[in-house]
Amino acid sequence: MTVTATTPALNYEQLLAAIVAPTGGIEIRDPATGAVVGSAPFHSVADLQAAVTAARTAQPAWGALSHAQRGEALVHAADAVDANAEALAELLSREQGKPLNGPNARFEVGACATWLRTTAAFPIEPEVLVEDDGGRAELHYRPLGVVGAIGPWNWPMMISVWQLAPALRMGNTVVLKPSEYTPLSVLALAQVINSAMPADVLHVVSGGRDVGEALSSHPDIDKVMFTGSTATGKAIIRSSADTVKRLTLELGGNDAGIVLPDVDPQAIAEDLFWGAFINTGQTCAALKRLYVHDDVYGEVCAALVQVAENMPMGVGLDEQNVLGPLQNKAQYDIVSNLVRAAKDSGATVLIGGEPDAHQQGFFYPTTLIADIDNSNPLVAEEQFGPALPIVRYTEIEEAIEMANALDVGLGASVWSSDPDAARQVAARLEAGTVWINKHGAVDPRVPFGGAKQSGYGLEFGVEGLKQLGAPQIISF
Ligand code: NAD
């Protein structure tokens, strides 16, 4: 098996032509305009079977390459992503809705290349566990075999890379099942990455939830990497039980942020805003409920409104926009119903809260809601959209209790000008990651994963790589 480097640069039309269904397929529409983006192939469980068989056949030769050779292939894949970045970003923007600019489409494509390169470079050496007169024990990691990857619609390209890059690096072959809302983005990404990969090492099966179910119960799939809702994660645990599959589950969250009384509201407002509104709030580890001390409550609310007023929302391909539509009608309805319930409860709308009934596309205005009770559904449920509830507190114990009260724990944040005070609060929060004076910042070198029902397993870093290997002890 050889690894070749080709980085063909395609324009948008060429890229789209390479992936759309020749006939039939499912029409994918731009959530901002309703315009048809293209027809995605709609693969069946039989197509999945063929992909798994091909990936299984290709795995031994891929797994026999050295880490250096597979790393080289990932670097070539990163080069190919860079060479095609503008076409990929345009397709992502049209299909997912996210703007080209801001922490959105171009940012996501750039992150794909960064994650491929960084994942290629981690050293992973056998670990000597014991070495004494009694003998020697070493810990090695072998490939698992074929990894199934199931992804969501919010960051379709970046999350696919989070799944496929460590899987490939560790000598596995991969079958990806994208969300039925954003298949074209993942097909295009795989088309580009495959220009740097041997045949059959990476497959995409673009089907519905029946394909996801078949993947997670398939006897020839050795591990499932899943990113999506907690409900689907539970279904995957059940359907993978009979074949005792390894699982990495990155599930839903409802991240709390706690603002201590010593902050400078003006200084933190923009970072708070993007912590909550990155990708128009459609981000697993976004700030979804904000707890602000009474002393600074009014000032923090006012500073956030000021930032929100200056962040343009609109069609993704318009270069000035940094916020976009909800990706689909179902998500629009979730956000809309939660905000309505908050308003009905008597909470104060600081900005937004009234979608324009005549506007085309699934646009929900940037919404900040104050004077809201902690038990309100907008606080207690994951909104996954541009509506942030801001809860007032007076005692830090009360804020920590409210932050920890839910059964999910993906991320959390503490905001303070006193790092020691912030760290003390951080240590008491039940979340996989706690950020201080920022929220949601992920790094390919730093492991990421959820606590409680936000899932289990880690991604990124050497820890993430190890989760894509079968540990083996050699003892003599
Ligand atoms: P979803 O669970 O509805 O769908 C995710 C994927 O699962 C899709 O590809 C879907 O086809 C597939 N699927 C559906 N039913 C299945 C089944 N029974 N078996 C196997 N596969 C099945 O999630 P979504 O709405 O696309 O994504 C939004 C959710 O994802 C939010 O809750 C968000 O917090 C979460 N998320 C988590 C992370 C993280 O890293 N923890 C990252 C992004 C999104």
Side-chain angles (χ1 to χ4, degrees), residues 48-114:
L48 170 74
Q49 182 58 52
V52 174
T53 302
R56 171 66 59 194
T57 306
Q59 193 278 324
W62 176 249
L65 295 180
S66 66
H67 276 290
Q69 288 169 308
R70 290 192 299 263
E72 200 185 332
L74 292 184
V75 171
H76 291 323
D79 293 342
V81 169
D82 281 340
N84 290 280
E86 215 31 42
L88 286 167
E90 182 174 342
L91 179 57
L92 178 60
S93 179
R94 286 181 190 272
E95 184 183 53
Q96 205 284 337
K98 63 183 70 190
L100 288 171
N101 289 322
N104 294 297
R106 289 185 178 123
F107 168 86
E108 179 168 352
V109 173
C112 290
T114 302

Side-chain angles (χ1 to χ4, degrees), residues 230 252-255 289 403 406-410 430 451-454:
T230 299
N254 193 346
D255 290 10
R289 47 197 175 112
L406 302 183
D407 56 13
V408 286
L410 190 55
E430 296 167 358
K452 303 201 270 189
Q453 292 190 28
S454 289

Side-chain angles (χ1 to χ4, degrees), residues 151-153 177 179-180 212 226-229 232 250-252 284 382 384:
W153 47 259
K177 208 300 276 177
S179 166
E180 42 278 58
F226 173 71
T227 298
S229 65
T232 306
E250 295 286 0
L251 308 179
C284 53
E382 186 187 33
F384 217 62

Side-chain angles (χ1 to χ4, degrees), residues 118-170:
T118 312
T119 308
F122 294 125
I124 179 148
E125 304 293 340
E127 292 166 43
V128 178
L129 305 173
V130 172
E131 189 170 29
D132 60 18
D133 293 346
R136 181 178 165 98
E138 298 166 354
L139 173 58
H140 296 249
Y141 289 90
R142 309 184 67 250
L144 289 158
V146 182
V147 169
I150 304 177
W153 47 259
N154 57 339
W155 294 90
M157 290 187 185
M158 188 173 74
I159 288 174
S160 295
V161 168
W162 290 359
Q163 298 172 327
L164 70 85
L168 292 175
R169 167 71 201 276
M170 294 302 283

